[in-house]
Amino acid sequence: MLLSGYHTVPARRMYWKRERDIGVELVASAMSRDRFDEILRFLHFADNQRLDKSDKLAKLRPIMDHLEGRFMAAFPVEQELSFDESMIAYFGRHGCKQFIRGKPIRFGFKAWCLNSAKGYLIAFDVYQGATYRGRAEYEERFGKGGAALADALDRLPLHIRKIPLKLYFDNYFTSLPLIKHLTLCGYGATGTIRDNRLPKSCPAAAVKSMKALVRGSVSVCGDTSNGISVVRWKDNSVVTVASNMAGSGPLQTVKRWSSKEKKMVQVPQPHCVSEYNKKMGGTDIMDQSINAYRTNIRIKKWWWAIFSWMLDAAVQNTWLVHRTKDEHASLLDVRRQISTTLLTRCQRDVSGAGTEGATGPPRGIISQYIKSVMSV
């Protein structure tokens, strides 16, 4: 499966063809074609007789919990984290399937992801629509989006929760009660916020009046009792950011194209907006890495899309952990090492001897992470 991310063939069974232009000897000598098909046919991660009927993802829940625990254990701790949604492409029928207009992947499962600024996936869960598995108190206070973030933070191990984390998220999750809750937990929080989630007493300039002002105009208000500032900034459109870490100052400058002057001009930008733009993209970086060498083997079972996405996320995390020791290592190199190592081990188990010319298991951090993450 991992090899199919960078070595693709038109059909899965062609990996076992004997023709030199299309067959892959490393795959064929590690496992027979019929054996692989048999594993795909009977692959399960939970006992179907004991599924939690309230959980739409019960078939995958054991491996989801297992991998999330491994991701947290191997996390090279960073202070700045982002929380966002990631779309997993799926075109079949399922109760959790979503359609989001304007996204690169419009149809599929929506996963809530807590990532580091470099893209490391720490915690995740798949959105189940009206079904909610977390604390009912969170959903009542923060809505579904904010509750997903609060639940993800509660699942973090104690050594990570003790860190004064700085969290960034978009307007789907942001509300003043959520930021107040994160403040009480000792976390920093910055996020864009929708106008209808601000109290009517908020003295910030109205969006309609801001649209008439020149680009770079700023309006500031705040909840001083909870240490929350709300900054409204006029760019191409009006942007509103709520934060308990940063306010409007010190102002910074950004380049924007002026259609009136026909040139690039300098526009003042609030500090909280600048910080949000720099630190928010962790989930997008992860999506880019996963899609670069995405597992190319497909079957019709609904859970397969989520399962293969989790394996690709594990490889991406492996690469980021390995880069703490070797910053020049590429994602492709790490994926190739993992694939060839696992296939070579299978050959030795079957034949009792290594294949001539095959490389042995890589030493150091990659082999350790393979044992911890990929052993299911």
Side-chain angles (χ1 to χ4, degrees):
M1 287 177 59
L2 298 181
L3 181 136
S4 70
Y6 62 88
H7 193 309
T8 60
V9 293
R12 182 182 75 229
R13 290 193 165 197
M14 288 186 176
Y15 285 109
W16 286 269
K17 291 288 185 180
R18 295 186 178 182
E19 288 82 354
R20 290 183 299 173
D21 64 328
I22 201 166
V24 181
E25 184 179 354
L26 185 63
V27 173
S29 57
M31 181 185 297
S32 69
R33 182 198 64 192
D34 292 345
R35 176 61 174 165
F36 185 73
D37 288 344
E38 187 179 28
I39 290 175
L40 290 186
R41 180 183 176 187
F42 293 105
L43 184 61
H44 284 77
F45 303 103
D47 185 351
N48 285 344
Q49 304 300 320
R50 301 180 180 179
L51 294 179
D52 181 2
K53 294 183 179 180
S54 65
D55 184 5
K56 295 181 181 179
L57 300 171
K59 284 179 174 288
L60 282 174
R61 188 59 59 185
I63 190 173
M64 291 174 67
D65 293 342
H66 171 81
L67 284 177
E68 185 179 68
R70 296 297 188 181
F71 292 166
M72 292 177 182
F75 174 46
V77 178
E78 298 178 27
Q79 189 177 18
E80 295 166 339
L81 309 178
S82 62
F83 192 78
D84 204 354
E85 59 189 29
S86 175
M87 287 297 291
I88 305 171
Y90 177 70
F91 297 95
R93 295 183 179 182
H94 191 267
C96 295
K97 180 184 173 183
Q98 300 289 308
F99 168 71
I100 303 181
R101 191 182 306 277
K103 286 281 188 179
I105 300 175
R106 295 182 298 164
F107 296 92
F109 299 103
K110 181 165 63 175
W112 306 125
C113 299
L114 181 65
N115 295 84
S116 71
K118 295 179 181 178
Y120 186 96
L121 180 60
I122 308 163
F124 66 96
D125 198 7
V126 177
Y127 177 62
Q128 300 189 37
T131 304
Y132 179 66
R133 299 180 64 253
R135 293 175 58 178
E137 175 193 357
Y138 285 161
E139 187 176 15
E140 293 175 1
R141 293 170 58 191
F142 314 135
K144 288 190 179 296
L149 170 56
D151 283 329
L153 294 174
D154 287 347
R155 295 198 304 272
L156 294 177
L158 184 60
H159 74 278
I160 298 180
R161 280 185 285 154
K162 286 183 176 180
I163 301 171
L165 301 173
K166 297 180 180 180
L167 303 166
Y168 299 85
F169 36 87
D170 64 21
N171 58 28
Y172 182 84
F173 310 97
T174 311
S175 64
L176 295 186
L178 174 63
I179 296 180
K180 179 181 177 181
H181 169 75
L182 296 176
T183 302
L184 295 175
C185 293
Y187 302 144
T190 300
T192 55
I193 187 169
R194 298 175 182 178
D195 192 50
N196 59 6
R197 294 184 182 177
L198 292 174
K200 295 182 179 179
S201 59
C202 180
V207 173
K208 290 184 178 179
S209 62
M210 288 286 292
K211 289 181 179 179
L213 301 179
V214 297
R215 182 184 286 177
S217 300
V218 178
S219 176
V220 183
C221 67
D223 182 355
T224 54
S225 61
N226 296 309
I228 303 173
S229 61
V230 178
V231 178
R232 187 161 280 167
W233 177 55
K234 168 66 184 304
D235 192 18
N236 292 327
S237 61
V238 178
V239 179
T240 308
V241 175
S243 176
N244 63 0
M245 295 187 294
S248 60
L251 289 176
Q252 303 177 21
T253 58
V254 291
K255 290 183 179 181
R256 293 289 188 270
W257 173 257
S258 173
S259 57
K260 182 178 180 180
E261 301 180 28
K262 305 298 181 183
K263 65 177 183 179
M264 300 295 292
V265 297
Q266 296 289 337
V267 177
Q269 184 183 63
H271 179 62
C272 59
V273 177
S274 175
E275 288 296 295
Y276 175 84
N277 290 337
K278 291 177 183 176
K279 311 294 174 52
M280 179 54 196
T283 304
D284 294 333
I285 293 174
M286 177 196 70
D287 287 340
Q288 185 179 13
S289 298
I290 289 176
N291 290 327
Y293 306 105
R294 191 163 62 103
T295 298
N296 197 46
I297 291 177
R298 296 285 179 266
I299 62 176
K300 293 183 178 180
K301 294 178 181 178
W302 66 265
W303 51 261
W304 184 263
I306 302 174
F307 171 57
S308 60
W309 176 85
M310 288 190 294
L311 289 188
D312 292 336
V315 174
Q316 189 253 181
N317 281 358
T318 304
W319 171 56
L320 292 174
V321 171
H322 182 60
R323 288 194 64 175
T324 60
K325 302 295 183 181
D326 181 8
E327 60 181 10
H328 300 293
S330 69
L331 176 59
L332 177 58
D333 290 339
V334 171
R335 191 176 184 108
R336 288 184 61 201
Q337 279 188 303
I338 296 173
S339 301
T340 54
T341 298
L342 295 176
L343 288 170
T344 302
R345 286 176 177 175
C346 289
Q347 288 177 322
R348 291 174 178 174
D349 291 340
V350 173
S351 64
T355 302
E356 183 179 356
T359 57
R363 297 180 179 179
I365 196 165
I366 290 183
S367 59
Q368 295 173 9
Y369 200 70
I370 288 174
K371 293 178 181 178
S372 63
V373 174
M374 307 305 290
S375 60
V376 182

